[in-house]
Amino acid sequence: MDTNVSILVEIPETLHQSFLSYLEARPDWDQDRVFSAALSLFLLQNRTTHDRQTARVYLDSLFKRPLEQV
């Protein structure tokens, strides 16, 4: 069972404006989906070990559907 955790972050205003423009241009994306995709991709690119669960979150965020359990 997946558990969601809320986080509160401060980002630069220019980044926030770019983020809002991105969401406005892509109505099928929302804030949660963007942050999940961005954070999971960052972790995949910057970790020394590959985490299947992180990869699963990334792919789920991209394709907006849960992947089958492996």
Side-chain angles (χ1 to χ4, degrees), residues 7 10-11 14 19-20 27 29-30 32 35 37 41-42 50-53 57 60 63:
I7 61 173
E10 292 186 19
I11 59 174
T14 54
F19 177 66
L20 293 177
W29 283 78
D30 62 22
D32 295 335
F35 276 106
L41 180 59
F42 174 84
H50 296 296
D51 181 358
R52 289 183 81 171
Q53 290 301 101
V57 169
D60 185 32
F63 297 110

Side-chain angles (χ1 to χ4, degrees), residues 1-5 53 56-57 60 66-67 69:
M1 177 168 106
D2 287 334
T3 303
N4 293 326
V5 177
Q53 290 301 101
R56 184 172 302 278
V57 169
D60 185 32
L67 298 176
Q69 294 296 322

Side-chain angles (χ1 to χ4, degrees), residues 4-48:
N4 293 326
V5 177
S6 290
I7 61 173
L8 178 64
V9 298
E10 292 186 19
I11 59 174
E13 181 66 27
T14 54
L15 182 58
H16 184 253
Q17 291 302 321
S18 294
F19 177 66
L20 293 177
S21 295
Y22 181 88
L23 292 177
E24 187 176 302
R26 292 160 184 86
D28 57 323
W29 283 78
D30 62 22
Q31 175 179 317
D32 295 335
R33 187 175 172 196
V34 171
F35 276 106
S36 289
L39 182 56
S40 58
L41 180 59
F42 174 84
L43 291 173
L44 287 170
Q45 291 176 336
N46 292 287
R47 293 180 90 172
T48 56

